[in-house]
Amino acid sequence: MADSTTVSNYPNLEKYMKLPQKGKIMAEYVWIDGTNGVRSKSKTLFKPVSSPDELPEWNFDGSSTGQAPGDNSDVYIRPVAIFPDPFRLEPNIIVMCETWDPDGSPNKFNYRHDAARLMEANKHHELWFGLEQEYTLLGIDDRPYGWPKNGFPGAQGPYYCGVGTGRTFCRDIVEAHYKACMYAGVNIAGTNAEVMPAQWEYQVGPCEGIELGDHLWMSRFLLARVAEEFGAKVSFAPKPIPGDWNGAGLHTNVSSAEMRKDGGMKHIEAAMKKLEGRHVDHIAVYGEGNADRLTGKHETGSMDKFTWGVADRGASVRIPRQCAREGKGYFEDRRPASNADPYQITGIIVETIYGGLPDEKMDKE
C-alpha cells in the first residue's frame, strides 16, 4: 500500500491460518492503556465460552503500559465483553477487558467502571448513544495518505463523501474495517469520507448504556489491526494538520426514553441547561489537544463558551432539525475530540443530566 516495511505478508500467513486448532480457542484480550491506546495479548482456551464470566482473569506488566510503577507492576484484566474474531475467524474471540489494581480497586485509567455504575443506576431512562468516530490515515512518514510529499493537496471541498481517484484515499482500509466490525458484532452504523483528504468517519450505535463504550473501543482496536496489515497508521489527533484543515471529532448523539416520547423536546432543552452549567467539566474529559480543534471555525464551537442550536454545526450542541420539527428525539454533543474516551464522554453526560453517585465522579484525574 505504501513504502511501509510492516505490511502483512498474507500469502505466507494464509497456510498457517488454515491449520486445525484441535478443539482449542484463541482469545485476544484487549485493554486500554495509560496513553489512551489499546493493547492486547493472546490466551489459549480449552473450551468454548458464551459469557465473559466464564473467562479467566489475567494480568500484564503495567509498568510497560503507563499504568503501574515498576516496583508494583501487576495490573489485572477482567473480561467484560466478547466479540467474534474477524482475523482468526470463529471459534476464536476478542475479549474487551477492564483494568484493575492488585488491591482490588479499578486502575486509574479504568473509566469503564465509573461509567457502568452510572448506566446501571440510570437504566430506567433507557439511554441510547451513537458516536461518530473521525480519524486520519497516515503513512510511515506521518503525512496523511495521498498528500504530496513536499506540499499540500487542493483545498477542502471535493473530499467529503468523495468518490474517485484524487478525492478519496485508502478506501480499502475503510472497507476492510467496516466488514471486520460487522463480523465481530460491533454495532457499526455506517462510514464516509470526511472533509480533509485522508480523513474518514464511521458511526457506532445506537447502543444502550455501557455497550456503546465497549463497541467503540473494540472498533478502534479493529481499525488499528486492519491498518497494521496495510502498513498505515491511524491518527485520532483532534487537529492532525495545522492550518485551514478540519479537525477530527467524536460527535456524541444522546437520547433517553423521555426525549424520544411526544413532548420530549422539553427534556432536551432541560439537558442543555445542565450541560451549560458543567461545560468546563466536560471539556476536561473530552479529549487531549481539543483546544486546537474547538476554535469556532471548521464546523466547531468555541471551547470557551457553551452554545446550542437547531441544525447549527458551529454550536457546542446541535439539535437536528427533524427533532425540532417533531418535538422529540435526540441531541448531538459536538465538543468531544476524536481521541476522547467514550466511557468518560457517556459517563459524564449521564452524570450531568441525571446526577452522579455519591462515591463516583466522572471527571477524576
Side-chain angles (χ1 to χ4, degrees):
M1 164 141 201
D3 300 323
S4 176
T5 58
T6 61
V7 177
S8 175
N9 192 331
Y10 187 75
N12 284 347
L13 175 64
E14 186 178 20
K15 60 186 177 184
Y16 299 103
M17 297 301 287
K18 292 180 179 179
L19 294 175
Q21 297 179 197
K22 300 186 176 181
K24 297 178 181 178
I25 293 169
M26 303 161 78
E28 192 74 11
Y29 278 46
V30 177
W31 71 93
I32 304 157
D33 67 13
T35 65
N36 200 42
V38 286
R39 307 277 182 130
S40 74
K41 61 178 185 175
S42 302
K43 189 177 192 67
T44 300
L45 305 178
F46 295 92
K47 62 179 182 179
V49 296
S50 58
S51 167
D53 297 335
E54 301 175 48
L55 289 164
E57 185 179 272
W58 207 5
N59 64 74
F60 64 91
D61 172 15
S63 69
S64 296
T65 64
Q67 291 171 278
D71 61 355
N72 188 21
S73 62
D74 284 355
V75 177
Y76 294 86
I77 40 180
R78 298 179 182 176
V80 294
I82 297 174
F83 298 85
D85 190 333
F87 306 108
R88 295 165 171 162
L89 306 182
E90 294 181 308
N92 304 302
I93 58 175
I94 304 178
V95 183
M96 195 70 216
C97 301
E98 284 190 10
T99 52
W100 289 75
D101 289 336
D103 63 2
S105 62
N107 185 264
K108 65 179 180 179
F109 298 103
N110 178 359
Y111 300 118
R112 186 188 188 277
H113 175 72
D114 295 6
R117 290 192 63 191
L118 279 164
M119 298 301 175
E120 178 64 23
N122 291 283
K123 62 182 181 181
H124 56 286
H125 292 293
E126 299 177 21
L127 286 151
W128 294 357
F129 299 98
L131 270 61
E132 305 168 25
Q133 178 69 73
E134 294 179 337
Y135 63 95
T136 308
L137 291 169
L138 310 176
I140 57 172
D141 58 357
D142 289 326
R143 295 271 297 170
Y145 260 116
W147 287 41
K149 291 188 178 296
N150 298 308
F152 295 90
Q156 296 182 153
Y159 312 110
Y160 173 69
C161 295
V163 177
T165 301
R167 291 173 175 252
T168 57
F169 305 91
C170 303
R171 191 185 292 275
D172 44 2
I173 293 177
V174 175
E175 292 292 311
H177 175 246
Y178 202 169
K179 292 294 288 286
C181 284
M182 286 187 165
Y183 182 94
V186 170
N187 192 13
I188 186 168
T191 186
N192 59 269
E194 266 301 330
V195 176
M196 189 182 83
Q199 187 183 77
W200 291 83
E201 175 190 296
Y202 63 90
Q203 304 87 34
V204 172
C207 296
E208 186 167 351
I210 200 64
E211 184 183 60
L212 185 283
D214 295 341
H215 282 233
L216 197 284
W217 271 114
M218 185 52 58
S219 75
R220 286 179 173 177
F221 171 78
L222 297 177
L223 179 59
R225 281 290 311 275
V226 168
E228 175 186 314
E229 295 190 6
F230 287 89
K233 295 181 180 181
V234 179
S235 172
F236 293 113
K239 188 71 173 179
I241 302 296
D244 195 20
W245 303 98
N246 272 38
L250 187 58
H251 299 158
T252 300
N253 300 282
V254 183
S255 180
S256 67
E258 298 88 349
M259 295 176 188
R260 293 189 293 274
K261 293 178 181 177
D262 289 343
M265 186 56 64
K266 66 180 180 181
H267 294 282
I268 295 174
E269 291 174 353
M272 296 304 101
K273 294 179 181 179
K274 293 179 179 180
L275 291 172
E276 182 176 17
R278 295 194 70 198
H279 177 64
V280 173
D281 294 333
H282 281 248
I283 290 297
V285 297
Y286 273 8
E288 185 177 351
N290 211 10
D292 295 331
R293 168 180 163 265
L294 293 181
T295 61
K297 300 178 180 179
H298 303 109
E299 300 180 273
T300 69
S302 170
M303 187 169 181
D304 300 323
K305 182 181 180 182
F306 179 88
T307 59
W308 67 277
V310 175
D312 186 356
R313 283 179 163 77
S316 305
V317 175
R318 178 180 70 94
I319 310 297
R321 189 170 299 282
Q322 181 180 354
C323 295
R325 184 182 301 119
E326 296 179 355
K328 60 182 178 180
Y330 68 98
F331 66 86
E332 177 194 48
D333 191 339
R334 299 178 59 81
R335 295 172 294 173
S338 51
N339 60 5
D341 187 312
Y343 296 132
Q344 286 188 289
I345 295 171
T346 56
I348 197 171
I349 288 174
V350 172
E351 182 183 81
T352 296
I353 297 175
Y354 298 111
L357 299 167
D359 59 344
E360 300 287 341
K361 284 293 180 184
M362 299 305 301
D363 54 355
K364 68 179 182 179
E365 295 295 327

